[in-house]
Amino acid sequence: SSCRGYFKITPGTDVKGQTLCHCPYCGHTGDQSQFATQDQIEYANSYAANQLTKSFIAELKKHEFNFTSPGLFGLGISLTVTGHPHPIKPYEEKKLETEVVCEQCTLRYAIYGVFALCPDCRRHNSLQILNKNLELACKQIAFADTEGCTPEFSQHLISAALATVVSAFDGFGRESYRILNEGELRQFGTRPKAVSFQNLTSARQNLLRLFGYDIAAWVTPDEWTLAVKCFQKRHLLAHKMGVVDEAYIKLTNDHAAILGRKIAISSDEIVRLVEVLKTMGQKFADLLNKPKMT
C-alpha cells in the first residue's frame, strides 16, 4: 500500500502458468489481478457502466411508440426514450523509462528508473544493466582503436569509455548496497544512507565493516590494483582536468604517473577493467539473488 509503483509486463513472455506477480520496486507478491492501477480500475468500471447503460437504453428503445386515436379530436400518446450511455473515463498508459527482458525467465517488462526486480521470477536486473553499460564502453574502445580515428578523438573516446564504466559500476554498487541494506542483513547493525562506489577503496572498507564482504577478495590482487587505479584516473578526469596530484599518487602508488602532468589512459586498461568489473558484478549478483534467510 505504501509503494503503488507503476510498471508494465508483456503477457506471454514469461514462464507459462505463472499467476503470481511481484512488484519490481518493493517486491510485494500477489495475484496478477491485484496489480491494476486506480486509473485502470476506474476505466474498467466506466466501461462496464457504459456497456450496461447502452444495453438498457437499446432495450427500452424497442418499446418506443407513437399512437393517435382516430377522429377529429383523437388523443395521441407516445413513448420516446432519451438519454446517453454512461461516459467512458479517458485512459492513457504512462510512459516508462526502461524496458527489460529478464535473462532468467524472459519476461518483458518496463519500469521507472533503471534497476528493479523481475515481476515474474524476482531476479534483480542490476547485473544485466551493468553488463549492458560495460558492453557500450567496449564499443567505444573498439571505435577508438580504428585507423580512421585521430589521436585526439581516440583519447576522448577512451576517457568517455572510462567514465561510462565507472558510472555504471557506481550505480550498480549503490543499488546492490541498497538491497543488502534493506534485506535480511539488517542484523549487522546500523547502515549509513548511501555508499559511493566511485572510490573503490572507500567502498571496500564500508562493505567490509557493514556486511563482512571484502570485494577486493573477489578478484586477484593485480586486478584489484588495476581497478583502483582506473577509478582514480576517472576522478582526475572529472575533477582535476586529468592532471596528476599527490592524492592520486598516494592512493594508487602509480610509479608511471608524474605529478603535475596529465594522466595516461590506454584502451587496454579499460578492456581489462571491464573484465574485472564483470567478475565483481557477478559476485554481487550472487549475493542479491541467493535464497532468502528463514
Side-chain angles (χ1 to χ4, degrees), residues 4-14 21-25 32 35-37 39-40 91-102 105-113 116-120 125:
R4 297 189 180 277
Y6 186 87
F7 65 97
K8 300 178 187 178
I9 64 173
T10 302
T13 62
D14 56 349
C21 188
H22 312 282
C23 174
Y25 307 110
Q32 291 184 5
F35 285 84
T37 67
D39 286 343
Q40 289 171 335
Y91 176 75
E92 183 178 355
E93 291 282 359
K94 299 176 182 178
K95 292 183 179 179
L96 294 168
E97 298 167 332
T98 305
E99 289 192 6
V100 183
V101 177
C102 179
C105 72
T106 71
L107 177 72
R108 181 183 176 188
Y109 61 99
I111 55 170
Y112 285 126
L117 296 167
C118 172
D120 187 348
N125 75 340

Short mmCIF file of all heavy atoms in Angstrom, two decimals, residues 4-14 21-25 32 35-37 39-40 91-102 105-113 116-120 125:
data_model
loop_
_atom_site.label_atom_id
_atom_site.label_comp_id
_atom_site.label_asym_id
_atom_site.label_seq_id
_atom_site.Cartn_x
_atom_site.Cartn_y
_atom_site.Cartn_z
N ARG A 4 2.81 1.33 -4.48
CA ARG A 4 1.95 1.67 -5.62
C ARG A 4 2.77 2.08 -6.84
O ARG A 4 2.41 3.00 -7.58
CB ARG A 4 0.94 2.76 -5.26
CG ARG A 4 -0.02 2.34 -4.15
CD ARG A 4 -1.14 3.34 -3.96
NE ARG A 4 -2.03 2.91 -2.90
CZ ARG A 4 -3.02 2.04 -3.05
NH1 ARG A 4 -3.23 1.49 -4.23
NH2 ARG A 4 -3.80 1.70 -2.03
N GLY A 5 3.92 1.44 -7.04
CA GLY A 5 4.76 1.75 -8.18
C GLY A 5 4.12 1.31 -9.49
O GLY A 5 3.43 0.29 -9.55
N TYR A 6 4.35 2.08 -10.52
CA TYR A 6 3.76 1.82 -11.83
C TYR A 6 4.75 1.04 -12.69
O TYR A 6 5.91 1.42 -12.82
CB TYR A 6 3.41 3.15 -12.50
CG TYR A 6 2.65 3.04 -13.80
CD1 TYR A 6 1.26 2.95 -13.82
CD2 TYR A 6 3.33 3.01 -15.01
CE1 TYR A 6 0.57 2.84 -15.02
CE2 TYR A 6 2.65 2.90 -16.22
CZ TYR A 6 1.27 2.82 -16.22
OH TYR A 6 0.58 2.72 -17.41
N PHE A 7 4.29 -0.07 -13.28
CA PHE A 7 5.13 -0.85 -14.18
C PHE A 7 4.24 -1.59 -15.17
O PHE A 7 3.02 -1.64 -15.01
CB PHE A 7 6.01 -1.84 -13.40
CG PHE A 7 5.23 -2.92 -12.67
CD1 PHE A 7 5.06 -4.17 -13.23
CD2 PHE A 7 4.69 -2.67 -11.41
CE1 PHE A 7 4.34 -5.17 -12.56
CE2 PHE A 7 3.98 -3.66 -10.73
CZ PHE A 7 3.80 -4.91 -11.30
N LYS A 8 4.86 -2.15 -16.20
CA LYS A 8 4.12 -2.90 -17.20
C LYS A 8 4.82 -4.23 -17.46
O LYS A 8 6.04 -4.34 -17.34
CB LYS A 8 4.06 -2.13 -18.54
CG LYS A 8 3.39 -0.78 -18.49
CD LYS A 8 3.47 -0.13 -19.88
CE LYS A 8 2.95 1.30 -19.85
NZ LYS A 8 3.08 1.94 -21.20
N ILE A 9 4.04 -5.23 -17.82
CA ILE A 9 4.59 -6.51 -18.25
C ILE A 9 3.93 -6.88 -19.58
O ILE A 9 2.83 -6.42 -19.88
CB ILE A 9 4.37 -7.63 -17.22
CG1 ILE A 9 2.88 -7.92 -17.04
CG2 ILE A 9 5.02 -7.28 -15.89
CD1 ILE A 9 2.61 -9.14 -16.17
N THR A 10 4.63 -7.69 -20.36
CA THR A 10 4.07 -8.20 -21.61
C THR A 10 3.66 -9.64 -21.39
O THR A 10 4.53 -10.52 -21.29
CB THR A 10 5.10 -8.11 -22.76
OG1 THR A 10 5.51 -6.75 -22.91
CG2 THR A 10 4.49 -8.61 -24.06
N PRO A 11 2.36 -9.92 -21.28
CA PRO A 11 1.91 -11.30 -21.03
C PRO A 11 2.39 -12.24 -22.13
O PRO A 11 2.48 -11.87 -23.30
CB PRO A 11 0.38 -11.16 -21.06
CG PRO A 11 0.11 -9.73 -20.72
CD PRO A 11 1.25 -8.96 -21.34
N GLY A 12 2.74 -13.45 -21.72
CA GLY A 12 3.18 -14.45 -22.69
C GLY A 12 4.67 -14.49 -22.90
O GLY A 12 5.17 -15.36 -23.61
N THR A 13 5.41 -13.55 -22.30
CA THR A 13 6.87 -13.54 -22.47
C THR A 13 7.58 -14.13 -21.27
O THR A 13 8.81 -14.13 -21.21
CB THR A 13 7.39 -12.11 -22.70
OG1 THR A 13 7.09 -11.30 -21.54
CG2 THR A 13 6.72 -11.48 -23.91
N ASP A 14 6.81 -14.63 -20.30
CA ASP A 14 7.41 -15.14 -19.07
C ASP A 14 7.25 -16.66 -19.00
O ASP A 14 6.92 -17.31 -19.99
CB ASP A 14 6.76 -14.49 -17.85
CG ASP A 14 5.24 -14.69 -17.85
OD1 ASP A 14 4.70 -15.14 -18.88
OD2 ASP A 14 4.61 -14.40 -16.82
N CYS A 21 2.50 -12.34 -9.23
CA CYS A 21 3.28 -11.21 -9.74
C CYS A 21 4.00 -10.56 -8.57
O CYS A 21 3.49 -10.57 -7.43
CB CYS A 21 2.35 -10.21 -10.44
SG CYS A 21 3.22 -8.89 -11.31
N HIS A 22 5.16 -10.01 -8.84
CA HIS A 22 5.95 -9.35 -7.80
C HIS A 22 6.20 -7.90 -8.23
O HIS A 22 6.59 -7.64 -9.37
CB HIS A 22 7.29 -10.06 -7.60
CG HIS A 22 7.17 -11.55 -7.46
ND1 HIS A 22 6.77 -12.16 -6.30
CD2 HIS A 22 7.37 -12.54 -8.36
CE1 HIS A 22 6.75 -13.47 -6.48
NE2 HIS A 22 7.10 -13.72 -7.73
N CYS A 23 5.98 -6.97 -7.31
CA CYS A 23 6.26 -5.57 -7.63
C CYS A 23 7.76 -5.43 -7.88
O CYS A 23 8.58 -5.85 -7.05
CB CYS A 23 5.84 -4.67 -6.47
SG CYS A 23 6.31 -2.93 -6.72
N PRO A 24 8.18 -4.87 -9.01
CA PRO A 24 9.61 -4.74 -9.30
C PRO A 24 10.32 -3.76 -8.39
O PRO A 24 11.55 -3.74 -8.34
CB PRO A 24 9.63 -4.26 -10.76
CG PRO A 24 8.32 -3.60 -10.96
CD PRO A 24 7.35 -4.34 -10.10
N TYR A 25 9.57 -2.91 -7.68
CA TYR A 25 10.18 -1.89 -6.82
C TYR A 25 10.29 -2.36 -5.36
O TYR A 25 11.37 -2.30 -4.77
CB TYR A 25 9.36 -0.61 -6.87
CG TYR A 25 9.12 -0.10 -8.26
CD1 TYR A 25 7.85 -0.15 -8.84
CD2 TYR A 25 10.15 0.42 -9.04
CE1 TYR A 25 7.62 0.31 -10.12
CE2 TYR A 25 9.93 0.89 -10.32
CZ TYR A 25 8.65 0.82 -10.86
OH TYR A 25 8.43 1.28 -12.14
N GLN A 32 -1.84 -11.56 -10.18
CA GLN A 32 -1.71 -10.50 -11.18
C GLN A 32 -2.90 -9.54 -11.17
O GLN A 32 -2.74 -8.35 -11.45
CB GLN A 32 -1.54 -11.12 -12.57
CG GLN A 32 -0.21 -11.81 -12.76
CD GLN A 32 -0.01 -12.33 -14.17
OE1 GLN A 32 -0.83 -12.09 -15.04
NE2 GLN A 32 1.08 -13.06 -14.39
N PHE A 35 -2.73 -6.13 -9.25
CA PHE A 35 -1.78 -5.08 -9.61
C PHE A 35 -2.35 -4.06 -10.59
O PHE A 35 -1.60 -3.33 -11.23
CB PHE A 35 -0.51 -5.71 -10.19
CG PHE A 35 0.36 -6.33 -9.14
CD1 PHE A 35 0.13 -7.62 -8.68
CD2 PHE A 35 1.41 -5.61 -8.57
CE1 PHE A 35 0.93 -8.18 -7.70
CE2 PHE A 35 2.21 -6.16 -7.59
CZ PHE A 35 1.97 -7.46 -7.15
N ALA A 36 -3.68 -4.01 -10.70
CA ALA A 36 -4.28 -2.97 -11.54
C ALA A 36 -4.14 -1.62 -10.85
O ALA A 36 -4.27 -1.52 -9.62
CB ALA A 36 -5.75 -3.28 -11.80
N THR A 37 -3.89 -0.56 -11.62
CA THR A 37 -3.79 0.78 -11.05
C THR A 37 -5.18 1.35 -10.82
O THR A 37 -6.17 0.86 -11.38
CB THR A 37 -3.01 1.73 -11.98
OG1 THR A 37 -3.78 1.94 -13.17
CG2 THR A 37 -1.66 1.13 -12.36
N ASP A 39 -6.35 4.13 -11.92
CA ASP A 39 -6.85 4.64 -13.20
C ASP A 39 -7.42 3.50 -14.05
O ASP A 39 -8.44 3.67 -14.73
CB ASP A 39 -5.73 5.34 -13.97
CG ASP A 39 -5.40 6.71 -13.39
OD1 ASP A 39 -6.23 7.24 -12.62
OD2 ASP A 39 -4.32 7.24 -13.69
N GLN A 40 -6.75 2.35 -14.03
CA GLN A 40 -7.25 1.21 -14.79
C GLN A 40 -8.58 0.71 -14.23
O GLN A 40 -9.49 0.35 -14.98
CB GLN A 40 -6.21 0.08 -14.78
CG GLN A 40 -4.98 0.37 -15.61
CD GLN A 40 -3.89 -0.65 -15.40
OE1 GLN A 40 -3.81 -1.29 -14.35
NE2 GLN A 40 -3.01 -0.80 -16.39
N TYR A 91 -8.47 7.11 -20.66
CA TYR A 91 -7.35 6.43 -20.02
C TYR A 91 -6.18 6.35 -21.00
O TYR A 91 -6.36 6.06 -22.18
CB TYR A 91 -7.73 5.02 -19.58
CG TYR A 91 -6.57 4.25 -19.00
CD1 TYR A 91 -6.11 4.53 -17.71
CD2 TYR A 91 -5.91 3.28 -19.74
CE1 TYR A 91 -5.03 3.84 -17.18
CE2 TYR A 91 -4.83 2.59 -19.22
CZ TYR A 91 -4.40 2.88 -17.93
OH TYR A 91 -3.33 2.21 -17.41
N GLU A 92 -5.00 6.62 -20.51
CA GLU A 92 -3.80 6.55 -21.33
C GLU A 92 -2.67 5.97 -20.48
O GLU A 92 -2.44 6.40 -19.34
CB GLU A 92 -3.39 7.93 -21.85
CG GLU A 92 -2.18 7.91 -22.76
CD GLU A 92 -1.84 9.28 -23.30
OE1 GLU A 92 -2.60 10.23 -23.04
OE2 GLU A 92 -0.82 9.41 -23.97
N GLU A 93 -2.00 4.97 -21.02
CA GLU A 93 -0.88 4.36 -20.30
C GLU A 93 0.26 5.37 -20.13
O GLU A 93 0.54 6.16 -21.03
CB GLU A 93 -0.36 3.14 -21.05
CG GLU A 93 -1.31 1.96 -21.07
CD GLU A 93 -1.31 1.20 -19.76
OE1 GLU A 93 -0.55 1.58 -18.86
OE2 GLU A 93 -2.08 0.23 -19.66
N LYS A 94 0.90 5.34 -18.99
CA LYS A 94 2.02 6.23 -18.74
C LYS A 94 3.28 5.71 -19.45
O LYS A 94 3.43 4.51 -19.68
CB LYS A 94 2.29 6.34 -17.24
CG LYS A 94 1.12 6.91 -16.45
CD LYS A 94 1.43 6.90 -14.95
CE LYS A 94 0.25 7.42 -14.14
NZ LYS A 94 0.52 7.36 -12.68
N LYS A 95 4.15 6.63 -19.80
CA LYS A 95 5.40 6.26 -20.43
C LYS A 95 6.43 5.90 -19.35
O LYS A 95 6.61 6.64 -18.39
CB LYS A 95 5.93 7.41 -21.29
CG LYS A 95 5.07 7.69 -22.52
CD LYS A 95 5.69 8.80 -23.38
CE LYS A 95 4.84 9.06 -24.62
NZ LYS A 95 5.42 10.14 -25.46
N LEU A 96 7.08 4.79 -19.54
CA LEU A 96 8.11 4.34 -18.61
C LEU A 96 9.49 4.53 -19.24
O LEU A 96 9.62 4.79 -20.43
CB LEU A 96 7.86 2.88 -18.23
CG LEU A 96 6.57 2.68 -17.42
CD1 LEU A 96 6.22 1.20 -17.32
CD2 LEU A 96 6.72 3.27 -16.03
N GLU A 97 10.51 4.40 -18.42
CA GLU A 97 11.85 4.82 -18.83
C GLU A 97 12.76 3.69 -19.30
O GLU A 97 13.62 3.88 -20.15
CB GLU A 97 12.52 5.56 -17.67
CG GLU A 97 11.78 6.83 -17.28
CD GLU A 97 12.23 7.40 -15.95
OE1 GLU A 97 12.70 6.63 -15.09
OE2 GLU A 97 12.09 8.61 -15.76
N THR A 98 12.58 2.50 -18.74
CA THR A 98 13.50 1.41 -19.04
C THR A 98 12.73 0.13 -19.37
O THR A 98 11.88 -0.28 -18.60
CB THR A 98 14.44 1.13 -17.85
OG1 THR A 98 15.12 2.34 -17.50
CG2 THR A 98 15.45 0.05 -18.20
N GLU A 99 13.03 -0.47 -20.52
CA GLU A 99 12.46 -1.76 -20.88
C GLU A 99 13.51 -2.85 -20.67
O GLU A 99 14.67 -2.67 -21.04
CB GLU A 99 11.99 -1.77 -22.34
CG GLU A 99 10.74 -0.93 -22.58
CD GLU A 99 10.12 -1.18 -23.94
OE1 GLU A 99 10.60 -2.11 -24.64
OE2 GLU A 99 9.16 -0.47 -24.29
N VAL A 100 13.07 -3.94 -20.07
CA VAL A 100 14.00 -5.02 -19.73
C VAL A 100 13.39 -6.35 -20.18
O VAL A 100 12.18 -6.55 -20.06
CB VAL A 100 14.26 -5.08 -18.21
CG1 VAL A 100 15.29 -6.17 -17.89
CG2 VAL A 100 14.73 -3.73 -17.69
N VAL A 101 14.22 -7.24 -20.69
CA VAL A 101 13.84 -8.62 -20.92
C VAL A 101 14.66 -9.46 -19.94
O VAL A 101 15.89 -9.52 -20.04
CB VAL A 101 14.10 -9.08 -22.36
CG1 VAL A 101 13.75 -10.56 -22.53
CG2 VAL A 101 13.28 -8.24 -23.34
N CYS A 102 13.99 -10.06 -18.98
CA CYS A 102 14.69 -10.81 -17.93
C CYS A 102 15.53 -11.93 -18.54
O CYS A 102 15.03 -12.74 -19.33
CB CYS A 102 13.69 -11.38 -16.93
SG CYS A 102 14.46 -12.34 -15.60
N CYS A 105 13.96 -15.57 -16.93
CA CYS A 105 12.64 -16.13 -17.28
C CYS A 105 12.07 -15.56 -18.57
O CYS A 105 10.98 -15.95 -18.98
CB CYS A 105 11.66 -15.94 -16.14
SG CYS A 105 11.11 -14.21 -15.93
N THR A 106 12.76 -14.60 -19.20
CA THR A 106 12.40 -13.98 -20.47
C THR A 106 11.20 -13.04 -20.39
O THR A 106 10.69 -12.60 -21.43
CB THR A 106 12.14 -15.02 -21.59
OG1 THR A 106 10.92 -15.71 -21.34
CG2 THR A 106 13.30 -16.00 -21.70
N LEU A 107 10.72 -12.71 -19.21
CA LEU A 107 9.62 -11.76 -19.10
C LEU A 107 10.07 -10.39 -19.61
O LEU A 107 11.16 -9.91 -19.26
CB LEU A 107 9.15 -11.62 -17.65
CG LEU A 107 8.04 -10.59 -17.43
CD1 LEU A 107 6.72 -11.09 -17.99
CD2 LEU A 107 7.89 -10.23 -15.95
N ARG A 108 9.23 -9.76 -20.40
CA ARG A 108 9.50 -8.40 -20.87
C ARG A 108 8.70 -7.45 -19.99
O ARG A 108 7.48 -7.57 -19.87
CB ARG A 108 9.08 -8.24 -22.33
CG ARG A 108 9.35 -6.85 -22.90
CD ARG A 108 8.86 -6.75 -24.32
NE ARG A 108 9.03 -5.40 -24.83
CZ ARG A 108 8.55 -4.98 -25.99
NH1 ARG A 108 7.84 -5.81 -26.74
NH2 ARG A 108 8.74 -3.74 -26.39
N TYR A 109 9.39 -6.50 -19.38
CA TYR A 109 8.71 -5.55 -18.51
C TYR A 109 9.34 -4.17 -18.62
O TYR A 109 10.46 -4.01 -19.12
CB TYR A 109 8.72 -6.03 -17.05
CG TYR A 109 10.08 -6.21 -16.41
CD1 TYR A 109 10.61 -5.25 -15.57
CD2 TYR A 109 10.82 -7.38 -16.61
CE1 TYR A 109 11.85 -5.42 -14.95
CE2 TYR A 109 12.05 -7.57 -16.00
CZ TYR A 109 12.56 -6.58 -15.17
OH TYR A 109 13.78 -6.76 -14.56
N ALA A 110 8.59 -3.16 -18.18
CA ALA A 110 9.05 -1.77 -18.27
C ALA A 110 8.86 -1.11 -16.91
O ALA A 110 7.87 -1.37 -16.21
CB ALA A 110 8.27 -1.01 -19.35
N ILE A 111 9.80 -0.23 -16.55
CA ILE A 111 9.81 0.36 -15.22
C ILE A 111 10.23 1.83 -15.29
O ILE A 111 10.74 2.29 -16.30
CB ILE A 111 10.80 -0.38 -14.29
CG1 ILE A 111 12.20 -0.39 -14.94
CG2 ILE A 111 10.32 -1.77 -13.96
CD1 ILE A 111 13.31 -0.87 -14.05
N TYR A 112 9.99 2.52 -14.19
CA TYR A 112 10.62 3.82 -13.98
C TYR A 112 12.04 3.58 -13.46
O TYR A 112 12.32 2.58 -12.80
CB TYR A 112 9.85 4.65 -12.96
CG TYR A 112 8.56 5.24 -13.46
CD1 TYR A 112 7.37 5.03 -12.80
CD2 TYR A 112 8.54 6.05 -14.60
CE1 TYR A 112 6.17 5.58 -13.26
CE2 TYR A 112 7.36 6.60 -15.07
CZ TYR A 112 6.18 6.36 -14.39
OH TYR A 112 5.01 6.91 -14.86
N GLY A 113 12.94 4.52 -13.73
CA GLY A 113 14.32 4.37 -13.26
C GLY A 113 15.07 3.35 -14.09
O GLY A 113 14.82 3.17 -15.28
N ALA A 116 15.49 -2.88 -11.00
CA ALA A 116 14.23 -3.44 -10.49
C ALA A 116 14.33 -4.95 -10.40
O ALA A 116 15.23 -5.58 -10.96
CB ALA A 116 13.07 -3.06 -11.42
N LEU A 117 13.35 -5.53 -9.69
CA LEU A 117 13.18 -6.97 -9.66
C LEU A 117 12.33 -7.41 -10.83
O LEU A 117 11.45 -6.66 -11.28
CB LEU A 117 12.48 -7.40 -8.36
CG LEU A 117 13.19 -7.14 -7.04
CD1 LEU A 117 12.20 -7.34 -5.89
CD2 LEU A 117 14.37 -8.07 -6.87
N CYS A 118 12.56 -8.61 -11.33
CA CYS A 118 11.68 -9.16 -12.36
C CYS A 118 10.33 -9.46 -11.73
O CYS A 118 10.26 -10.14 -10.70
CB CYS A 118 12.28 -10.44 -12.95
SG CYS A 118 11.16 -11.30 -14.06
N PRO A 119 9.23 -8.97 -12.30
CA PRO A 119 7.90 -9.24 -11.72
C PRO A 119 7.50 -10.70 -11.75
O PRO A 119 6.53 -11.09 -11.11
CB PRO A 119 6.96 -8.40 -12.61
CG PRO A 119 7.82 -7.34 -13.19
CD PRO A 119 9.15 -8.01 -13.41
N ASP A 120 8.23 -11.53 -12.49
CA ASP A 120 7.91 -12.95 -12.57
C ASP A 120 8.80 -13.77 -11.63
O ASP A 120 8.35 -14.29 -10.62
CB ASP A 120 8.07 -13.44 -14.01
CG ASP A 120 7.58 -14.88 -14.19
OD1 ASP A 120 7.34 -15.56 -13.17
OD2 ASP A 120 7.45 -15.33 -15.32
N ASN A 125 17.66 -7.08 -11.82
CA ASN A 125 18.24 -6.81 -13.14
C ASN A 125 19.54 -6.01 -13.08
O ASN A 125 20.05 -5.59 -14.12
CB ASN A 125 17.23 -6.07 -14.02
CG ASN A 125 17.08 -4.59 -13.61
OD1 ASN A 125 17.44 -4.21 -12.50
ND2 ASN A 125 16.56 -3.78 -14.50
#
